[in-house]
Amino acid sequence: MRPFSFHRPATPDEAIALFEAIGEGARFVAGGTTLFDLMKLDIERPRHLIDVGAIRGLDGIDADGDTLRIGALATMAAVAAHPAVLRDFPVLSESLARAASPQLRNMASVGGNLLQRTRCPYFRNGVGGAYPCNKREPGSGCAAVEGLDRGQAVLGTSAACNAVSPGDWPVALVAMDALVELRGPLGQRLLPVEEFYRLPGDTPHEEFTLRPGEMIAAVVVPKVAAGRASTYHKIRDRESFSFALASAAVALDMEGGRVRRARIALGGVATKPWRAREAERLLAGMNLDVETALDAGRAAFADARPGRHNAFKPELGARVVADALLIAVERSRA
Ligand SMILES: Cc1cc2nc3c(=O)[nH]c(=O)nc-3n(C[C@H](O)[C@H](O)[C@H](O)COP(=O)(O)OP(=O)(O)OC[C@H]3O[C@@H](n4cnc5c(N)ncnc54)[C@H](O)[C@@H]3O)c2cc1C
């Protein structure tokens, strides 16, 4: 690992000022569970680490009022197990509980989770010229597009990149129309989580809508009744400690046995947490049974463009959406 200096600010303002003063080469770190990995692989090369994990007061979970507000430094484990999250937003709790391992969830922050980078093998294993990767070395090319693409994205891809957005938690947040609260040198702003992620296009290395020196302070989730009739369904190669091959976050607002409004987001299949609006529209006013659930699942993948080894993903993903819808409708009756 390359040498770096380490700083422990006491407040968010101090952290932001430190970042501004250092400039080039500065990077925030929280749990360190993914940043240190990438530094050891020589993919990330920060020269100065600003440890926001030591800042007090950024790990609160506030469930009073019209929103659920979760501090960026709350651990994945703490949020997953919080009684209000379990009761009002099973989709959020499940997205965290089904990610990584217990040790990682105890260490990792929900803010750091939003900024984790792709697990594309060509991104992680090609340092030193073994494989080109436009995310790692902008303009170098993409080995995955013509390579082994079983785990790659089928939605939102471009000729320059088909890497999957890896996180589970952001998918659940997108389904719930959550906002990310950012603090930086220019002040504070709220951004829909969906807009926080960028499509790869010609610039796959520009992954997040984050200005220099901005830190994530919190995520804010509007409280809606559909939160209780929600689920996060995740299919992976192993039943634990594995990233999604296909996942779906679903929440249902039901009226008299029919869907008033469905919220559906997809993970493991797209280059960013993917809102499936066509599928949502198709369900409005419908009676939700196995057939309509599968129709909605297939509508979610109407624009899918699989590669050579991942032609199974649209059908797998459609079935994951359908199963998630049936779990959520069951919960709406409870
Ligand atoms: C073996 C393994 C398996 C995993 N499996 C899964 C999985 O199945 N599903 C899943 O979703 N995730 C999975 N993960 C990823 C894991 O969830 C992330 O590593 C973790 O959430 C990152 O949080 P952290 O606090 O450790 O982030 P860090 O490593 O500290 O930071 C990650 C990034 O976020 C930035 N950052 C951190 N906090 C802030 C902040 N407040 N403001 C601005 N920037 C910030 C850092 O600069 C860095 O770029 C896995 C990780 C490992 C190692």
Side-chain angles (χ1 to χ4, degrees), residues 60-90:
I61 302 172
D62 182 0
D64 297 335
D66 298 342
T67 60
L68 170 70
R69 189 176 184 284
I70 302 171
L73 292 176
T75 64
M76 293 170 69
V79 178
H82 192 279
V85 179
L86 279 165
R87 184 191 61 225
D88 295 337
F89 296 100

mmCIF file of all heavy atoms in Angstrom, residues 60-90:
data_model
loop_
_atom_site.group_PDB
_atom_site.id
_atom_site.type_symbol
_atom_site.label_atom_id
_atom_site.label_comp_id
_atom_site.label_asym_id
_atom_site.label_seq_id
_atom_site.Cartn_x
_atom_site.Cartn_y
_atom_site.Cartn_z
ATOM 1 N N GLY A 60 -26.787 9.016 14.253
ATOM 2 C CA GLY A 60 -28.130 8.921 14.841
ATOM 3 C C GLY A 60 -29.161 8.375 13.863
ATOM 4 O O GLY A 60 -29.031 8.504 12.649
ATOM 5 N N ILE A 61 -30.200 7.750 14.434
ATOM 6 C CA ILE A 61 -31.343 7.295 13.628
ATOM 7 C C ILE A 61 -32.575 7.935 14.249
ATOM 8 O O ILE A 61 -32.934 7.621 15.389
ATOM 9 C CB ILE A 61 -31.457 5.754 13.657
ATOM 10 C CG1 ILE A 61 -30.163 5.111 13.133
ATOM 11 C CG2 ILE A 61 -32.665 5.292 12.832
ATOM 12 C CD1 ILE A 61 -30.103 3.601 13.313
ATOM 13 N N ASP A 62 -33.188 8.857 13.504
ATOM 14 C CA ASP A 62 -34.302 9.622 14.061
ATOM 15 C C ASP A 62 -35.587 9.273 13.301
ATOM 16 O O ASP A 62 -35.729 9.607 12.122
ATOM 17 C CB ASP A 62 -33.982 11.126 13.935
ATOM 18 C CG ASP A 62 -35.071 11.981 14.538
ATOM 19 O OD1 ASP A 62 -36.071 11.414 15.050
ATOM 20 O OD2 ASP A 62 -34.937 13.217 14.490
ATOM 21 N N ALA A 63 -36.497 8.599 13.993
ATOM 22 C CA ALA A 63 -37.715 8.126 13.332
ATOM 23 C C ALA A 63 -38.935 8.958 13.709
ATOM 24 O O ALA A 63 -40.058 8.608 13.355
ATOM 25 C CB ALA A 63 -37.944 6.665 13.672
ATOM 26 N N ASP A 64 -38.732 10.077 14.422
ATOM 27 C CA ASP A 64 -39.870 10.939 14.767
ATOM 28 C C ASP A 64 -40.186 11.842 13.582
ATOM 29 O O ASP A 64 -39.307 12.181 12.815
ATOM 30 C CB ASP A 64 -39.523 11.811 15.987
ATOM 31 C CG ASP A 64 -39.253 10.940 17.214
ATOM 32 O OD1 ASP A 64 -39.774 9.817 17.255
ATOM 33 O OD2 ASP A 64 -38.486 11.389 18.086
ATOM 34 N N GLY A 65 -41.427 12.255 13.461
ATOM 35 C CA GLY A 65 -41.778 13.185 12.386
ATOM 36 C C GLY A 65 -42.107 12.491 11.081
ATOM 37 O O GLY A 65 -42.359 11.282 11.036
ATOM 38 N N ASP A 66 -42.086 13.289 9.975
ATOM 39 C CA ASP A 66 -42.544 12.795 8.665
ATOM 40 C C ASP A 66 -41.492 12.009 7.906
ATOM 41 O O ASP A 66 -41.776 11.466 6.833
ATOM 42 C CB ASP A 66 -42.945 13.981 7.769
ATOM 43 C CG ASP A 66 -44.097 14.758 8.368
ATOM 44 O OD1 ASP A 66 -44.767 14.182 9.239
ATOM 45 O OD2 ASP A 66 -44.307 15.915 7.963
ATOM 46 N N THR A 67 -40.264 12.043 8.420
ATOM 47 C CA THR A 67 -39.193 11.343 7.707
ATOM 48 C C THR A 67 -38.409 10.459 8.673
ATOM 49 O O THR A 67 -38.434 10.666 9.886
ATOM 50 C CB THR A 67 -38.199 12.338 7.069
ATOM 51 O OG1 THR A 67 -37.631 13.139 8.099
ATOM 52 C CG2 THR A 67 -38.853 13.213 6.013
ATOM 53 N N LEU A 68 -37.713 9.504 8.073
ATOM 54 C CA LEU A 68 -36.727 8.714 8.820
ATOM 55 C C LEU A 68 -35.380 9.302 8.415
ATOM 56 O O LEU A 68 -35.046 9.333 7.225
ATOM 57 C CB LEU A 68 -36.832 7.257 8.376
ATOM 58 C CG LEU A 68 -35.749 6.303 8.854
ATOM 59 C CD1 LEU A 68 -35.883 6.052 10.354
ATOM 60 C CD2 LEU A 68 -35.843 4.972 8.091
ATOM 61 N N ARG A 69 -34.607 9.774 9.401
ATOM 62 C CA ARG A 69 -33.305 10.392 9.083
ATOM 63 C C ARG A 69 -32.208 9.528 9.694
ATOM 64 O O ARG A 69 -32.204 9.277 10.894
ATOM 65 C CB ARG A 69 -33.256 11.821 9.644
ATOM 66 C CG ARG A 69 -32.051 12.593 9.193
ATOM 67 C CD ARG A 69 -32.098 14.037 9.704
ATOM 68 N NE ARG A 69 -30.987 14.789 9.182
ATOM 69 C CZ ARG A 69 -29.752 14.688 9.620
ATOM 70 N NH1 ARG A 69 -29.472 13.860 10.613
ATOM 71 N NH2 ARG A 69 -28.782 15.401 9.068
ATOM 72 N N ILE A 70 -31.313 9.094 8.843
ATOM 73 C CA ILE A 70 -30.258 8.171 9.288
ATOM 74 C C ILE A 70 -28.902 8.819 9.042
ATOM 75 O O ILE A 70 -28.549 9.141 7.895
ATOM 76 C CB ILE A 70 -30.350 6.843 8.506
ATOM 77 C CG1 ILE A 70 -31.729 6.200 8.697
ATOM 78 C CG2 ILE A 70 -29.251 5.881 8.951
ATOM 79 C CD1 ILE A 70 -32.001 5.009 7.824
ATOM 80 N N GLY A 71 -28.138 9.032 10.107
ATOM 81 C CA GLY A 71 -26.812 9.638 9.972
ATOM 82 C C GLY A 71 -25.890 8.756 9.149
ATOM 83 O O GLY A 71 -25.949 7.521 9.234
ATOM 84 N N ALA A 72 -25.008 9.382 8.374
ATOM 85 C CA ALA A 72 -24.146 8.642 7.441
ATOM 86 C C ALA A 72 -23.223 7.664 8.149
ATOM 87 O O ALA A 72 -22.793 6.676 7.563
ATOM 88 C CB ALA A 72 -23.304 9.625 6.633
ATOM 89 N N LEU A 73 -22.932 7.919 9.423
ATOM 90 C CA LEU A 73 -21.991 7.053 10.130
ATOM 91 C C LEU A 73 -22.665 5.927 10.913
ATOM 92 O O LEU A 73 -21.987 5.135 11.573
ATOM 93 C CB LEU A 73 -21.103 7.880 11.056
ATOM 94 C CG LEU A 73 -20.139 8.792 10.302
ATOM 95 C CD1 LEU A 73 -19.342 9.653 11.255
ATOM 96 C CD2 LEU A 73 -19.211 7.969 9.438
ATOM 97 N N ALA A 74 -23.981 5.864 10.844
ATOM 98 C CA ALA A 74 -24.663 4.708 11.457
ATOM 99 C C ALA A 74 -24.151 3.453 10.757
ATOM 100 O O ALA A 74 -23.933 3.452 9.540
ATOM 101 C CB ALA A 74 -26.173 4.841 11.274
ATOM 102 N N THR A 75 -23.930 2.393 11.523
ATOM 103 C CA THR A 75 -23.433 1.169 10.873
ATOM 104 C C THR A 75 -24.588 0.450 10.165
ATOM 105 O O THR A 75 -25.766 0.622 10.515
ATOM 106 C CB THR A 75 -22.806 0.197 11.890
ATOM 107 O OG1 THR A 75 -23.828 -0.231 12.803
ATOM 108 C CG2 THR A 75 -21.645 0.837 12.629
ATOM 109 N N MET A 76 -24.207 -0.372 9.206
ATOM 110 C CA MET A 76 -25.222 -1.163 8.492
ATOM 111 C C MET A 76 -25.988 -2.026 9.493
ATOM 112 O O MET A 76 -27.211 -2.166 9.400
ATOM 113 C CB MET A 76 -24.540 -2.049 7.446
ATOM 114 C CG MET A 76 -23.911 -1.273 6.306
ATOM 115 S SD MET A 76 -22.866 -2.315 5.245
ATOM 116 C CE MET A 76 -24.065 -3.365 4.429
ATOM 117 N N ALA A 77 -25.274 -2.592 10.474
ATOM 118 C CA ALA A 77 -25.909 -3.476 11.455
ATOM 119 C C ALA A 77 -26.919 -2.704 12.313
ATOM 120 O O ALA A 77 -28.032 -3.190 12.571
ATOM 121 C CB ALA A 77 -24.848 -4.117 12.344
ATOM 122 N N ALA A 78 -26.538 -1.495 12.747
ATOM 123 C CA ALA A 78 -27.422 -0.720 13.626
ATOM 124 C C ALA A 78 -28.708 -0.330 12.896
ATOM 125 O O ALA A 78 -29.804 -0.393 13.479
ATOM 126 C CB ALA A 78 -26.691 0.533 14.126
ATOM 127 N N VAL A 79 -28.585 0.058 11.637
ATOM 128 C CA VAL A 79 -29.791 0.464 10.893
ATOM 129 C C VAL A 79 -30.681 -0.742 10.632
ATOM 130 O O VAL A 79 -31.905 -0.691 10.807
ATOM 131 C CB VAL A 79 -29.407 1.181 9.569
ATOM 132 C CG1 VAL A 79 -30.657 1.567 8.781
ATOM 133 C CG2 VAL A 79 -28.554 2.418 9.854
ATOM 134 N N ALA A 80 -30.052 -1.863 10.227
ATOM 135 C CA ALA A 80 -30.842 -3.074 9.919
ATOM 136 C C ALA A 80 -31.661 -3.542 11.122
ATOM 137 O O ALA A 80 -32.762 -4.063 10.973
ATOM 138 C CB ALA A 80 -29.915 -4.194 9.454
ATOM 139 N N ALA A 81 -31.118 -3.335 12.330
ATOM 140 C CA ALA A 81 -31.763 -3.871 13.545
ATOM 141 C C ALA A 81 -32.627 -2.835 14.260
ATOM 142 O O ALA A 81 -33.254 -3.152 15.278
ATOM 143 C CB ALA A 81 -30.680 -4.377 14.504
ATOM 144 N N HIS A 82 -32.692 -1.607 13.747
ATOM 145 C CA HIS A 82 -33.442 -0.561 14.459
ATOM 146 C C HIS A 82 -34.950 -0.863 14.419
ATOM 147 O O HIS A 82 -35.506 -1.120 13.337
ATOM 148 C CB HIS A 82 -33.158 0.801 13.820
ATOM 149 C CG HIS A 82 -33.636 1.945 14.645
ATOM 150 N ND1 HIS A 82 -34.945 2.374 14.648
ATOM 151 C CD2 HIS A 82 -32.975 2.726 15.521
ATOM 152 C CE1 HIS A 82 -35.073 3.384 15.486
ATOM 153 N NE2 HIS A 82 -33.893 3.630 16.025
ATOM 154 N N PRO A 83 -35.634 -0.812 15.575
ATOM 155 C CA PRO A 83 -37.055 -1.216 15.601
ATOM 156 C C PRO A 83 -37.937 -0.417 14.630
ATOM 157 O O PRO A 83 -38.812 -1.011 13.977
ATOM 158 C CB PRO A 83 -37.470 -0.938 17.055
ATOM 159 C CG PRO A 83 -36.197 -0.881 17.828
ATOM 160 C CD PRO A 83 -35.109 -0.488 16.895
ATOM 161 N N ALA A 84 -37.711 0.878 14.492
ATOM 162 C CA ALA A 84 -38.564 1.683 13.589
ATOM 163 C C ALA A 84 -38.300 1.329 12.131
ATOM 164 O O ALA A 84 -39.218 1.349 11.301
ATOM 165 C CB ALA A 84 -38.320 3.172 13.825
ATOM 166 N N VAL A 85 -37.050 0.998 11.818
ATOM 167 C CA VAL A 85 -36.724 0.621 10.438
ATOM 168 C C VAL A 85 -37.360 -0.739 10.133
ATOM 169 O O VAL A 85 -37.981 -0.931 9.085
ATOM 170 C CB VAL A 85 -35.183 0.576 10.230
ATOM 171 C CG1 VAL A 85 -34.851 0.170 8.795
ATOM 172 C CG2 VAL A 85 -34.558 1.934 10.563
ATOM 173 N N LEU A 86 -37.234 -1.668 11.085
ATOM 174 C CA LEU A 86 -37.835 -2.993 10.899
ATOM 175 C C LEU A 86 -39.351 -2.902 10.708
ATOM 176 O O LEU A 86 -39.928 -3.603 9.881
ATOM 177 C CB LEU A 86 -37.542 -3.864 12.123
ATOM 178 C CG LEU A 86 -36.159 -4.519 12.171
ATOM 179 C CD1 LEU A 86 -35.866 -5.022 13.575
ATOM 180 C CD2 LEU A 86 -36.081 -5.658 11.163
ATOM 181 N N ARG A 87 -39.980 -2.023 11.468
ATOM 182 C CA ARG A 87 -41.448 -1.927 11.433
ATOM 183 C C ARG A 87 -41.937 -1.158 10.198
ATOM 184 O O ARG A 87 -42.816 -1.627 9.484
ATOM 185 C CB ARG A 87 -41.921 -1.211 12.709
ATOM 186 C CG ARG A 87 -43.441 -1.126 12.865
ATOM 187 C CD ARG A 87 -43.825 -0.177 13.992
ATOM 188 N NE ARG A 87 -43.350 1.169 13.736
ATOM 189 C CZ ARG A 87 -42.748 1.962 14.626
ATOM 190 N NH1 ARG A 87 -42.556 1.540 15.852
ATOM 191 N NH2 ARG A 87 -42.334 3.176 14.296
ATOM 192 N N ASP A 88 -41.314 0.005 9.942
ATOM 193 C CA ASP A 88 -41.855 0.909 8.908
ATOM 194 C C ASP A 88 -41.226 0.707 7.532
ATOM 195 O O ASP A 88 -41.806 1.120 6.529
ATOM 196 C CB ASP A 88 -41.643 2.373 9.322
ATOM 197 C CG ASP A 88 -42.438 2.717 10.569
ATOM 198 O OD1 ASP A 88 -43.438 2.016 10.836
ATOM 199 O OD2 ASP A 88 -42.063 3.669 11.273
ATOM 200 N N PHE A 89 -40.036 0.112 7.486
ATOM 201 C CA PHE A 89 -39.328 -0.035 6.207
ATOM 202 C C PHE A 89 -38.577 -1.364 6.149
ATOM 203 O O PHE A 89 -37.344 -1.375 6.077
ATOM 204 C CB PHE A 89 -38.309 1.107 6.022
ATOM 205 C CG PHE A 89 -38.893 2.471 5.922
ATOM 206 C CD1 PHE A 89 -38.893 3.315 7.027
ATOM 207 C CD2 PHE A 89 -39.453 2.926 4.730
ATOM 208 C CE1 PHE A 89 -39.430 4.590 6.943
ATOM 209 C CE2 PHE A 89 -39.986 4.195 4.637
ATOM 210 C CZ PHE A 89 -39.983 5.034 5.751
ATOM 211 N N PRO A 90 -39.291 -2.514 6.160
ATOM 212 C CA PRO A 90 -38.568 -3.781 6.047
ATOM 213 C C PRO A 90 -37.635 -3.819 4.843
ATOM 214 O O PRO A 90 -36.577 -4.454 4.895
ATOM 215 C CB PRO A 90 -39.677 -4.836 5.938
ATOM 216 C CG PRO A 90 -40.978 -4.107 5.935
ATOM 217 C CD PRO A 90 -40.746 -2.697 6.316
#
